[in-house]
Amino acid sequence: MKILSVVGARPQFVKLAPISRALTGRAEHVVVHTGQHYDELLSDVFFRDLEIPLPDVNLAIGSGSHGAQTGSMISAIEPVLLSHAPDWVLVYGDTNSTLAAAVAAVKLHLPLAHLEAGLRSFNRRMPEEHNRVLTDHASDLCLAPTQTAMRQLGIEGLAERSVLVGDVMTDVLLQVRDSAKPGNALPEGVSPGDYYVGTLHRAENTDDPERLRSIIRALASLDKPLLLLAHPRLIEVARRHGISLDEGAIRAADSRPYPEMVALVSGSSGVVTDSGGLQKEAFLLRVPCTTLRSETEWTETVELGWNVLVHDNLDELAAVVSRPQPEQTSETPYGDGHAAEAVAAVLLNPERLPRT
Ligand code: UD1
């Protein structure tokens, strides 16, 4: 069997790692990198640190407006799909690379599987929400990470083509967690266990300079140093609008390779983020998370008390971030670290599916 994965952005490389391992020796696995992320720290380091074989094809599409980027990807992916004629096209998450590959695959009548299906923010202004809704509905197979996602797929009439596999990011995190060390990653004056880790990259938080200014002001007032691992998008927008990131409690730094990031989070007193993956990683590492959004797709983290959303009430951010540790939990809403095995089992045995 031939499975062709399309990836392009940082979180997709993390998800690819356990899938690549699970398929090794069991299927021909072709990996196509769209080139949506191209900086070394957003792309190459993941292949190196997570020991993922280098992509078979790199389309080098790069950045652009949503339409231009997605359109260029569709037209570049199509000939690759035609030449490989895979048994499955596997797409990951909710980026423009995901949607582009999904559109290219369905137009060619190739079986399409969507990993991390069924997540919803119900915020139709988020580019990721368009990408995931459209991809789920185009897919022949929706691979859901959680029960919540399965329920949502059912509500949208997709139950018959949906399978609960668990969350592949849990697989990676559990593997990396025990070997990761923060090493020299802490800047001067920051003591182990006495700092926060922050990330900020969503369009809704970065693209409006007034909103970005208010967030930076609120982060600067935290009671402990905040290691702000800055995505190039944040650095670029802040530079363009003359917004300094190194204010008050904030220590701005480049984004970090995955194992270092896990170690930093694990050794921190809390996380402040608008990333989806990091909310879950904080939960799995049992580090309190504060999410700079009005909604989350990972609702279990909030329900179990480990994640609090802060959007308009930025005045309350410092108090929320320094809140006491939540009650411990033994719940495992994101699976047991064997999701990639479940994905491989479903893809390699499509005859067992209710409908493909
Ligand atoms: C994308 C995904 C988002 C995901 C995030 C993970 C979409 C719509 N968004 O957002 O869901 O959470 O990746 O990081 O697909 N840039 C660089 N170097 C790079 C890549 C980007 O400097 O290697 C800069 C460029 O200025 C670019 C901007 O970042 O315009 C945004 O990049 P883009 O890929 O459009 O979206 P992300 O914000 O990375």
Side-chain angles (χ1 to χ4, degrees):
M1 172 173 290
K2 189 191 271 194
I3 297 169
L4 186 146
S5 284
V6 181
V7 290
R10 178 169 60 175
Q12 294 168 329
F13 310 137
V14 179
K15 291 164 201 161
L16 173 66
I19 295 291
S20 166
R21 210 165 299 134
L23 292 177
T24 300
R26 298 163 76 188
E28 185 184 347
H29 188 206
V30 178
V31 174
V32 178
H33 187 325
T34 63
Q36 178 172 350
H37 283 177
Y38 41 87
D39 279 353
E40 194 187 346
L41 278 173
L42 292 190
S43 177
D44 304 12
V45 293
F46 289 88
F47 286 86
R48 189 192 67 211
D49 293 340
L50 298 175
E51 295 171 8
I52 313 168
L54 288 178
D56 299 276
V57 181
N58 191 326
L59 302 172
I61 299 297
S63 304
S65 66
H66 289 292
Q69 188 183 50
T70 311
S72 306
M73 287 178 194
I74 295 172
S75 60
I77 291 168
E78 186 176 65
V80 178
L81 297 185
L82 280 169
S83 79
H84 281 282
D87 298 292
W88 283 110
V89 177
L90 179 60
V91 298
Y92 302 67
D94 56 18
T95 74
N96 289 345
S97 297
T98 315
L99 178 62
V103 172
V106 290
K107 295 280 181 197
L108 295 173
H109 311 295
L110 289 169
L112 174 67
H114 182 204
L115 183 72
E116 214 176 71
L119 294 182
R120 297 290 180 268
S121 66
F122 304 103
N123 176 352
R124 297 296 291 248
R125 293 192 59 81
M126 280 179 75
E128 292 83 0
E129 186 75 353
H130 319 147
N131 292 342
R132 46 175 102 93
V133 171
L134 293 166
T135 303
D136 280 345
H137 284 261
S139 292
D140 301 283
L141 174 61
C142 291
L143 298 161
T146 62
Q147 292 284 4
T148 312
M150 280 298 278
R151 263 196 307 278
Q152 185 59 32
L153 291 163
I155 289 167
E156 295 180 26
L158 302 175
E160 283 191 2
R161 61 180 90 163
S162 301
V163 179
L164 177 64
V165 286
D167 181 3
V168 295
M169 286 184 101
T170 305
D171 299 17
V172 190
L173 186 88
L174 297 185
Q175 280 157 21
V176 168
R177 180 184 58 182
D178 300 327
S179 56
K181 303 263 178 303
N184 300 327
L186 287 179
E188 277 216 10
V190 178
S191 317
D194 198 33
Y195 62 92
Y196 302 117
V197 172
T199 73
L200 192 65
H201 76 278
R202 296 262 172 209
E204 70 198 77
N205 285 330
T206 55
D207 288 8
D208 169 6
E210 277 325 302
R211 168 116 185 118
L212 180 57
R213 265 195 198 93
S214 310
I215 293 175
I216 296 298
R217 207 176 304 126
L219 294 175
S221 72
L222 296 183
D223 63 332
K224 292 179 186 178
L226 171 87
L227 206 52
L228 181 61
L229 306 180
H231 185 289
R233 178 191 197 112
L234 172 62
I235 296 172
E236 157 60 16
V237 182
R239 190 197 52 75
R240 197 167 355 116
H241 297 290
I243 301 172
S244 158
L245 296 178
D246 267 310
E247 292 294 316
I250 305 174
R251 310 278 185 280
D254 283 339
S255 21
R256 293 291 164 87
Y258 186 76
E260 217 177 278
M261 168 89 161
V262 170
L264 281 172
V265 170
S266 161
S268 73
S269 326
V271 162
V272 190
T273 190
D274 59 2
S275 146
L278 200 47
Q279 294 172 48
K280 235 176 347 167
E281 283 151 4
F283 170 74
L284 294 168
L285 295 165
R286 296 298 187 268
V287 171
C289 182
T290 305
T291 297
L292 289 163
R293 287 178 51 196
S294 50
E295 70 284 307
T296 178
E297 301 77 21
W298 303 104
T299 50
E300 302 82 2
T301 58
V302 174
E303 286 153 15
L304 293 168
W306 286 82
N307 189 9
V308 175
L309 307 181
V310 172
H311 189 257
D312 295 329
N313 47 336
L314 288 169
D315 294 348
E316 295 163 23
L317 184 73
V320 173
V321 173
S322 62
R323 69 192 181 273
Q325 277 267 335
E327 210 177 297
Q328 279 301 334
T329 174
S330 54
E331 298 279 328
T332 55
Y334 304 117
D336 57 3
H338 296 95
E341 269 304 314
V343 171
V346 176
L347 294 178
L348 296 171
N349 300 287
E351 67 285 354
R352 292 202 215 139
L353 286 171
R355 172 196 174 283
T356 56

